[in-house]
Amino acid sequence: MSIKEISRNKCFGGHVVKYGHHSDELDCEMKFNVFLPAESSTKKVPAIYFLSGLTCTEDNFIQKSGAMAEAAKHGIALIAPDTSPRGVSIEGDDDSWDFGTGAGFYLDATESKWSKNYRMYSYVVKELYQLVYEQLPIDENRISIMGHSMGGHGAMTIYIKNPSKFKSVSAFSPIANPINCPWGQKAFSNYLGSDKESWKQYDTIELLRTHMNERMDVLVDVGTADGFLEKELLIDELKKAVKELGRETEWNIRYQDGYDHSYFFISTFMADHIQHHAKYLNA
């Protein structure tokens, strides 16, 4: 399956390019954005995937984060997928902002109503991953992943389960323990059904308990004025679990005073995250 260029804009010496393609995993047409640094015109470059949060499309990160300035300094590409299948017309997928359209939760649904289209885990890890390195000047051996909120959850769980595919991971305001928060419980019960054991494969804290052999270096930032901090993100629970498992040296969890859940927060600390990944991508 080939990707089709939709638009191209010059940016920091490189280009932001929007592509479209038919997704076999999701059985619909999908779009994604890529920042290709200047170096990509002559060689393959490393890349960072950014997984966005609830209600977002492939555009939010590219338009609001300011990430291209720092990525260009390091010669790193940025890849921004969408957050769910589009235009699949399943009854109920547009009824609420935190489930269905714009809220794929980076899992593979198993409930029959959703399982044909809602396969964002396989879309990111398998289909898009392969399309990008086969058809764009991206070095498949130097790829990292990060995300925000629902996308932070996606980035961390995908990284933990695929250490050979991704060199490093970071997250802004991630949903760290979705099996124990309202957003996660709503999504998981609908996408995955009532068997809560099956939910654990998409929960960062649960995965940490079962993946003790992989050594990690994870950067997490969250704002202390984030309105979702206590009820939905459960960062305190992540910090507690990391300590209980003796993995504090692997996780740098930073509480940023006065910052909220928005892209104003993300853009403030984006350079730190790009630099975190550059250590591994340009080593």
Side-chain angles (χ1 to χ4, degrees), residues 25-176:
E25 286 287 356
L26 308 180
D27 195 26
C28 66
E29 297 300 313
M30 293 295 286
K31 298 175 183 176
F32 63 99
N33 283 307
V34 179
F35 168 68
L36 292 170
E39 290 86 345
S40 67
S41 64
T42 58
K43 64 179 182 180
K44 290 190 174 185
V45 296
I48 305 170
Y49 280 78
F50 186 93
L51 305 185
S52 293
L54 293 165
T55 75
C56 290
T57 70
E58 72 278 3
D59 291 331
N60 298 70
F61 166 73
I62 287 291
Q63 295 176 357
K64 295 181 177 181
S65 70
M68 287 79 76
E70 190 66 26
K73 293 179 185 176
H74 299 278
I76 294 173
L78 302 170
I79 302 163
D82 205 343
T83 54
S84 76
R86 297 285 169 175
V88 296
S89 299
I90 300 172
E91 182 186 0
D93 68 347
D94 284 325
D95 289 354
S96 57
W97 65 273
D98 57 357
F99 177 77
T101 302
F105 268 85
Y106 305 102
L107 51 74
D108 286 348
T110 54
E111 290 294 285
S112 58
K113 181 177 180 179
W114 308 100
S115 60
K116 178 182 177 183
N117 304 104
Y118 278 77
R119 298 179 51 78
M120 287 301 293
Y121 176 87
S122 287
Y123 174 69
V124 171
V125 174
K126 299 175 184 176
E127 185 176 20
L128 184 62
Y129 188 96
Q130 185 173 350
L131 281 174
V132 163
Y133 79 70
E134 285 184 349
Q135 300 187 38
L136 296 176
I138 302 299
D139 183 349
E140 66 173 302
N141 296 311
R142 292 189 294 158
I143 295 178
S144 291
I145 192 165
M146 62 178 170
H148 170 233
S149 194
M150 175 185 73
H153 138 75
M156 295 193 303
T157 54
I158 285 172
Y159 171 79
I160 292 170
K161 294 200 282 186
N162 297 275
S164 64
K165 284 192 169 184
F166 299 96
K167 293 289 188 184
S168 55
V169 66
S170 71
F172 296 90
S173 322
I175 303 172

